[in-house]
Amino acid sequence: MSPVPSRRRRPLLAALTALLAAVALVAPPGPARAADPLLSQGRPTTASSTENAGTPASNATDGDAGTRWSSAFADPQWIQVDLGATAAVSRVSLAWEGAYARAYQVQTSTDGATWTTVFSTTSGDGGTDDLTVSGTGRYVRVYGTARATGYGYSLWEFQVYGSTGGGSGCDTATNAAQGRPATASSTENAGTPASAAVDGNPGTRWASAAADPQWLRIDLGSVRTVCRVVLSWEAAYARAYQIQTSTDGATWTTVYGTTTGDGGTDTVTVTGTGRYLRVYGTARATGYGYSLWEVAVNTTGGGTIPGGGPLGPNVITFDPSMSAATIQGQLDTVFRTQESNQFGTQRYALMFKPGDYSGINAQIGFYTSIMGLGRNPGDVRIHGDVTVDAGWFNGNATQNFWRSASNMQVFPSAGFTRWAVSQAAPFRRMDIQGDLNLAPNGYGWASGGYIADSRVTGIVQPYSQQQWYTRDSNVGGYLNAVWNVTNSGVVGAPATSFPNPPYTTLAQTPVSRDVPYLYLDAAGAYQVFVPSTRTNASGASWLGGSTAGTSIPLSQFYVARPGDSAATINAALTQGLNLLFTPGVYAVDQTIAVNRPGTVVLGIGYPTLVPQNGVVPMTVADVDGVRLAGLLFDAGAVNSPVLLQVGPAGSSARHAANPTSIQDVFFRIGGAHAGKATTSLVVNQDDALIDHIWAWRGDHGTGIGWTVNTADTGLIVNGDNVTALGLFVEHYQKHEVIWNGENGRTIFFQNELPYDPPNAAAWTNGSRVGYAAFKVADSVTSFEGWGMGSYCYFNVDPTIAAYHAFEAPTRSGVRFHDLLTVSLGGNGSITHVVNDTGAAAQGTATVPVNVVSYP
């Protein structure tokens, strides 16, 4: 922006005039509530426009009086904040920059579409407007209609104060039932489902069969204290009914009953506690069934954070009715942004509704997930291509990180799908009707990847891929293998023949499950499917019928968006909601604590959690069945002791029947910015399942250096009976992996030792040069690993000779199969493979040293 007029301070008389104007324009507010909290800070904020990239809408709600939002130089303009829940708004404070509004309104809305004006002025004079208002809404908007200067509108801070219910009184502003899962004893027809009574739309209704008794049940998500229920009856109302509560959905307590109902709207004051509320009709007033337009439930002791909601602007959804040209245009726009955007902040999820799509080529760049929204892969059929290539990097695919494809059937235009990726690029629940080429065009370098629960009807063609892991899939065969191709539970995989050719094959995967995923049900509503655990699995889970598991409606998830605070996320988890992170970067200023058994924490489009001030960004309690999937933890500038901790220290409960899983969860130290974290992932919980992680201390990008992006260890396993499927851990400064738990299993491990030790003395462990990449603790009596490789590339001091890559106690219960070490181009060496066994990996030929079994 060009120089602006100096910010002026408001005279006392003008302030009084504006306050009187506000009082005249709105109904008199209730008693002042001096303790009403600030609701807007850090909340998602959008605007009609921004002057430039340095003045985004989020600056007005960041709590920093030195940053600002500014708009384009035109009328009208607006800025809007999403409070996350319906609130009783009592005060709005606007700190204008020199480019202020002469005329503007403050408005509230429950849905972000229909607005109510709670303050208006045509004589604004800048400075700070501290406005007492009375309004209700989840969204609050400042709507400017006349600028005071030739510039746009500009706000240092936009603050909204109010209450979402947290006191002892009845929170009548928040409907705890809206959008919650609802079921009924019956429905009259498909057009009158139970969900229509809690959708917030007074034009839709639930109607039952014409019989007595009938009931409508609502799951509030957590145990709540219910203080009021509002029933909006259609003409087919109840003469006699009860309102009941339950903590478990089985045993019910009646909190209200009548035998003289007269229809219309019943506003009933009640006292009851429960997670579930039921309207139980025993006598109809007409010959029809029971019919309710809406059921509203009000609670005390805390406001309800709503579940569900929009997935945000970076989730792009495609429909079969769209033209191929329209779809291709949107795909190309995203790819142009993301093709070489290795360390940018943009994130995208590309979602295809069930149906057929023809003539498209979806090229997938950084931080982009492409996914089908069907229940099974064959529900979304791509007659065209889903492609990853490496033209942006001159045909070298070794940096094609952070992208994914899932839940689609592809009929490739040239008979093969090219998926030339390296780490953190999962390929899940894909059905490729043809060959799968894992190399870039021109057969340039590529550095390892991961496939699960998929089918390739043709041949998997690794070509230049150094290592690769596939599990629980069906393939038509393999063309070749470079250093090691590992398969577990893959029908059609070649038998073990390591090291010539270098295949490692397990007929079954001992324990596995696929990641939770979004899909659309028959009514077009989002659900999250949670696959069941499989033991001794072989082949894709969906080929013999739908994958076993359960569905959770999106209304039972808090849909997190960039700008949401960790406090809000924790409140949602405490309330009983699951968690869906939408694409974007999240600043985490306190630990996100996952404490409820069975909680699903799912990310789409590579949501990235950055800890602030050295906090631990996420922990999981010692509870059953937590599912963590699709997250990227990016270390902050201040050292965090750990980025993800699963189970507190000393965890001892068994979880074999329902383990916690960590799937497609990635860790980064440096690259996007200077970051520090002592350990990336600590697993203290017994029976946990680690299914595809990449823990990476950056070797390129921003904030890279031996004393800059410091990190000791990628993974520490302290729990017993932990299974790891697909470990990618690289460049840490001490042991990359430390395994302290008993009865552990690892199928596939890919590692590069740190590139940048300045010299041998700086990287010495006791009397030995270097730290083993994979360290099984001396106390462990039972462990087994298959298909594990470690490379060295000491580009700062190529004279370094690491002593060994694998270190373990020598006893019969600790076993390794198919190990390898490699010196990349002769930049340093590794003297032994495991303990004192194996020849030195050295020389410029880049030929692996193999150990088939140990001991």
Side-chain angles (χ1 to χ4, degrees), residues 781-807:
T781 61
S782 177
F783 173 87
E784 194 160 10
W786 296 263
M788 305 172 73
S790 178
Y791 324 149
C792 74
Y793 184 74
F794 301 127
N795 61 355
V796 175
D797 182 358
T799 68
I800 293 175
Y803 188 79
H804 51 206
F806 299 91
E807 181 179 333

Side-chain angles (χ1 to χ4, degrees), residues 793-841:
Y793 184 74
F794 301 127
N795 61 355
V796 175
D797 182 358
T799 68
I800 293 175
Y803 188 79
H804 51 206
F806 299 91
E807 181 179 333
T810 303
R811 51 176 61 103
S812 60
V814 178
R815 302 185 298 275
F816 293 92
H817 311 274
D818 302 355
L819 303 181
L820 67 93
T821 56
V822 182
S823 173
L824 300 176
N827 286 274
S829 62
I830 304 173
T831 305
H832 301 291
V833 178
V834 52
N835 293 343
D836 299 329
T837 298

Side-chain angles (χ1 to χ4, degrees), residues 72-138:
F73 301 173
D75 293 313
Q77 301 290 338
W78 53 262
I79 183 169
Q80 167 186 323
V81 61
D82 176 0
L83 303 179
T86 299
V89 179
S90 58
R91 178 180 154 221
V92 173
S93 180
L94 305 174
W96 295 101
E97 195 250 0
Y100 63 94
R102 179 71 67 198
Y104 69 92
Q105 302 163 23
V106 177
Q107 302 172 319
T108 61
S109 173
T110 57
D111 59 6
T114 303
W115 296 90
T116 300
T117 298
V118 297
F119 172 81
S120 179
T121 184
T122 57
S123 56
D125 62 352
T128 297
D129 291 344
D130 200 351
L131 310 172
T132 299
V133 300
S134 179
T136 300
R138 171 173 173 168

Side-chain angles (χ1 to χ4, degrees), residues 330-417:
Q330 290 185 279
L331 294 173
D332 290 346
T333 296
V334 172
F335 182 65
R336 281 193 298 269
T337 300
Q338 299 301 99
E339 180 182 13
S340 59
N341 194 17
Q342 184 171 178
F343 296 114
T345 58
Q346 294 84 357
R347 307 283 188 270
Y348 292 94
L350 308 175
M351 307 203 305
F352 285 74
K353 293 182 179 181
D356 287 278
Y357 301 82
S358 298
I360 62 172
N361 180 17
Q363 299 185 78
I364 308 303
F366 285 100
Y367 312 108
T368 303
S369 296
I370 185 170
M371 63 189 76
L373 289 174
R375 176 68 173 78
N376 294 298
D379 296 336
V380 175
R381 297 169 294 278
I382 305 295
H383 302 270
D385 297 292
V386 175
T387 302
V388 174
D389 206 343
W392 75 277
F393 201 43
N394 300 315
N396 180 346
T398 59
Q399 292 183 23
N400 277 356
F401 313 139
W402 304 307
R403 62 199 75 199
S404 66
S406 62
N407 209 31
M408 313 174 87
Q409 186 175 53
V410 181
F411 299 84
S413 59
F416 71 93
T417 292

Side-chain angles (χ1 to χ4, degrees), residues 158-358:
F158 170 25
Q159 296 178 321
V160 179
Y161 297 82
S163 172
T164 56
S168 59
C170 189
D171 177 17
T172 59
T174 304
N175 180 4
Q178 187 166 320
R180 297 300 308 167
T183 54
S185 53
S186 66
T187 56
E188 183 182 2
N189 55 58
T192 58
S195 59
V198 292
D199 62 1
N201 183 353
T204 62
R205 63 188 177 94
W206 163 68
S208 78
D212 292 315
Q214 300 290 337
W215 51 261
L216 175 76
R217 186 179 80 166
I218 303 162
D219 179 359
L220 301 178
S222 61
V223 174
R224 311 300 303 277
T225 300
V226 180
C227 54
R228 190 177 79 158
V229 177
V230 182
L231 306 176
S232 299
W233 294 101
E234 196 249 1
Y237 62 95
R239 179 72 68 197
Y241 69 90
Q242 301 165 21
I243 297 174
Q244 303 171 323
T245 59
S246 172
T247 57
D248 60 5
T251 303
W252 295 91
T253 300
T254 298
V255 296
Y256 174 80
T258 184
T259 57
T260 58
D262 59 357
T265 299
D266 291 343
T267 301
V268 182
T269 300
V270 300
T271 301
T273 300
R275 171 174 175 166
Y276 303 90
L277 183 135
R278 184 167 72 172
V279 180
Y280 190 83
T282 55
R284 291 164 291 136
T286 73
Y288 301 102
Y290 298 85
S291 185
L292 281 162
W293 293 111
E294 282 294 301
V295 177
V297 178
N298 302 133
T299 63
T300 61
T304 298
I305 296 176
L311 300 179
N314 285 2
V315 176
I316 302 172
T317 304
F318 301 102
D319 187 280
S321 65
M322 299 170 65
S323 71
T326 298
I327 295 172
Q328 191 65 52
Q330 290 185 279
L331 294 173
D332 290 346
T333 296
V334 172
F335 182 65
R336 281 193 298 269
T337 300
Q338 299 301 99
E339 180 182 13
S340 59
N341 194 17
Q342 184 171 178
F343 296 114
T345 58
Q346 294 84 357
R347 307 283 188 270
Y348 292 94
L350 308 175
M351 307 203 305
F352 285 74
K353 293 182 179 181
D356 287 278
Y357 301 82
S358 298

Side-chain angles (χ1 to χ4, degrees), residues 697 706 731-733 753-764 769-770 793-798 800:
R697 175 181 166 262
W706 187 250
H731 308 312
Y732 287 81
Q733 294 173 293
L753 296 170
Y755 288 180
D756 56 341
N759 49 59
W763 193 53
T764 296
V769 174
Y793 184 74
F794 301 127
N795 61 355
V796 175
D797 182 358
I800 293 175

